[in-house]
Structures are given as structure tokens and as C-alpha cells.
Amino acid sequence: MKLVLTHEYTSCTTQLCKIREKVRITCAQMGFKEADINLITLVIDEACSNIIRYAYCGDKSGRIILEIFQAETEAIFHLQDFAKCITASCLEVKEKKLTEPGGLGLKMMHQVMDSVTLLPPTSAIGNILELKKRLPEGL
Amino acid sequence: MKYEQASHLQYSVLKLTGEVDLHNSPQVRKQLLAILNAGHSVLVDFAALSYIDSSGIATLVEAFNLAKNKALSLTIIEATGAPLQVLELTNLNKVFPMLASLDDVKE
């Protein structure tokens, strides 16, 4: 597994466009087509938005580390925060009506990615969210 | 993200340009709710919109529900590319009225 990109951001909403740009460029370099790049960029943005809103509760000084790896058959995205540890149940999608608010970002993460997992914490604080997406055929 | 407000027939048009995300969706929400609370049906023009996230979509859902409660309408115009993909992914393309262009809007 090769580390393709690592970048640290603050937990400020102004950083989201910068994160999206890095993800778009890296996904294009890994051979994803435009439609997949759009969706992967969307879900990484959604995951970062959730970290800003729920992990750091709007505190703009938190740290978010984005790492992108290329494995033999998949792209692996790690998003690390240093907020209070959450449990895997926070990643479960609750069934709602289409016009009911809440949970949309998480639902999209599960729809777009092949796996969405919380890695075991490496320290007393923080979380690492791992998202995997199969690389395009023929690479 | 930029927005412009205009009129078309009996509708207010909110033209969105650029990217709508968690940073700027509150501005879009404020504009949309103001238009609807003033009693106008709204056309949300996506022609120059390159990105919308779930906070933007949630804003549209809230405005759509408000429009329905007020016997008004909210219609999305010219959704293509990444914004259309998000609407399709969430199945909201089956909920929101959508038109290919402003020329398709009837009085």
C-alpha cells in the first residue's frame, strides 16, 4: 500500500474547498473517471463536514489529517481527527424519509464507497475513519 | 459561491454559481427561505453550479417542504454534472420538480 497524499487541515469550513481540490486531483491521478471523482470528492467532503460539525462541534482550531493510499485494487482514504472517540454505531445509517432532515451525508458515504470503517484508536483521543473504493478496472 | 436573484414570469429565480458546501449553505438557506416567506414560488438555477453537498441538499429539502406548506413551488433548473449526481444518489431527483432550462418554465 503506497501513501499517495497526506495533508493536514484545520477544522474550519473554509478548508473544505481545499480538501475537495486535493481529492479530485489525487483521484484523477489514480485513474478514476469524472463521475466517480465527483462522488468520492463528495463523500470525503461529507466526512470532513461531519468531523467539523459533530467531532469538533464547530471549533475551528481542531486538526484533520487526510491520507490517501493506493493499494493493488483499491484507493484508501483515512481521515483522522483528535476529538472525543466515537463508536462504530455513529456510522450506522438510520432509515429516513427522503424529505426528512439528517443523516444524508453518512448515507451517501455508504452508497458511494465499498467500505466505511472506524479504525481502532491509536491514542486516547481521536478517530480514524477509513473509506475504501475499488480502483477502476484495467489499471 | 455566488448567488443572484432575478424574476422570470411569476417566479423568483435564485441562480447559484460555484460550489455550495457547509461553509456557504446557510447563505443559500437564508435567501431561499426569504423568497418563500415573501410568498414567491422559486426556480433554483443550477446552470452555473459545479458542486453541492448534503448541507445544500438539506437546505433545498427544507425550502421544498416550506414551499409545499405555503402552496408555493420550488423547481430546480438545469441540474447537470456533479449536482445532478448528488440529486440522483439521494433519489431527490424524483422528489423535486426539475426542468432542463428556464425556457421550459410555464406560467
Side-chain angles (χ1 to χ4, degrees):
Chain A
M1 187 165 87
K2 184 176 83 174
L3 179 65
V4 181
L5 176 108
T6 178
H7 217 279
E8 183 167 333
Y9 302 89
T10 58
S11 56
C12 180
T13 54
T14 55
Q15 300 294 296
L16 291 169
C17 59
K18 295 174 188 170
I19 295 171
R20 291 197 296 271
E21 191 187 356
K22 286 280 184 204
V23 172
R24 277 190 194 114
I25 292 169
T26 308
C27 286
Q29 287 167 347
M30 286 197 280
F32 285 104
K33 298 277 191 301
E34 192 185 344
D36 279 333
I37 294 171
N38 289 341
L39 293 176
I40 294 167
T41 304
L42 171 73
V43 300
I44 299 299
D45 176 280
E46 294 293 342
C48 292
S49 295
N50 282 351
I51 292 171
I52 292 170
R53 284 170 96 172
Y54 304 117
Y56 288 119
C57 303
D59 174 3
K60 295 177 183 175
S61 63
R63 295 164 63 206
I64 301 174
I65 298 173
L66 167 67
E67 289 180 322
I68 306 178
F69 301 90
Q70 184 164 353
E72 199 177 329
T73 59
E74 58 195 1
I76 302 167
F77 303 81
H78 284 179
L79 280 166
Q80 184 171 13
D81 66 63
F82 300 88
K84 197 176 157 192
C85 293
I86 61 167
T87 60
S89 65
C90 297
L91 299 180
E92 286 168 13
V93 177
K94 294 170 185 73
E95 277 311 312
K96 290 189 173 180
K97 283 184 193 166
L98 285 179
T99 52
E100 219 176 330
L104 202 53
L106 190 57
K107 191 174 178 187
M108 293 195 289
M109 271 182 239
H110 285 276
Q111 280 175 285
V112 170
M113 303 308 261
D114 297 311
S115 87
V116 179
T117 334
L118 204 56
L119 295 184
T122 52
S123 63
I125 58 158
N127 305 282
I128 302 173
L129 179 68
E130 181 180 79
L131 302 113
K132 291 182 178 177
K133 181 75 178 173
R134 180 166 276 278
L135 290 168
E137 298 282 329
L139 283 180
Chain B
M1 190 274 300
K2 287 186 200 159
Y3 61 83
E4 282 169 54
Q5 205 177 317
S7 301
H8 181 75
L9 304 173
Q10 72 270 38
Y11 300 94
S12 281
V13 181
L14 187 66
K15 184 180 172 78
L16 303 174
T17 301
E19 301 190 322
V20 173
D21 64 9
L22 185 62
H23 182 63
N24 52 38
S25 61
Q27 287 174 259
V28 177
R29 179 179 182 270
K30 197 174 159 191
Q31 285 301 310
L32 271 177
L33 299 190
I35 292 169
L36 293 166
N37 283 322
H40 303 289
S41 287
V42 63
L43 306 170
V44 188
D45 189 344
F46 270 33
L49 185 70
S50 54
Y51 178 80
I52 188 164
D53 76 345
S54 70
S55 70
I57 294 294
T59 294
L60 291 172
V61 169
E62 182 185 359
F64 175 76
N65 288 333
L66 178 65
K68 235 171 39 172
N69 289 339
K70 288 180 172 287
L72 298 169
S73 64
L74 180 148
T75 305
I76 293 172
I77 309 293
E78 217 175 321
T80 57
L84 179 61
Q85 279 184 275
V86 181
L87 292 169
E88 288 172 344
L89 187 69
T90 53
N91 276 327
L92 286 165
N93 58 326
K94 293 171 187 159
V95 174
F96 297 134
M98 294 177 51
L99 292 172
S101 88
L102 272 178
D103 297 336
D104 297 329
V105 178
K106 305 271 190 297
E107 269 188 82

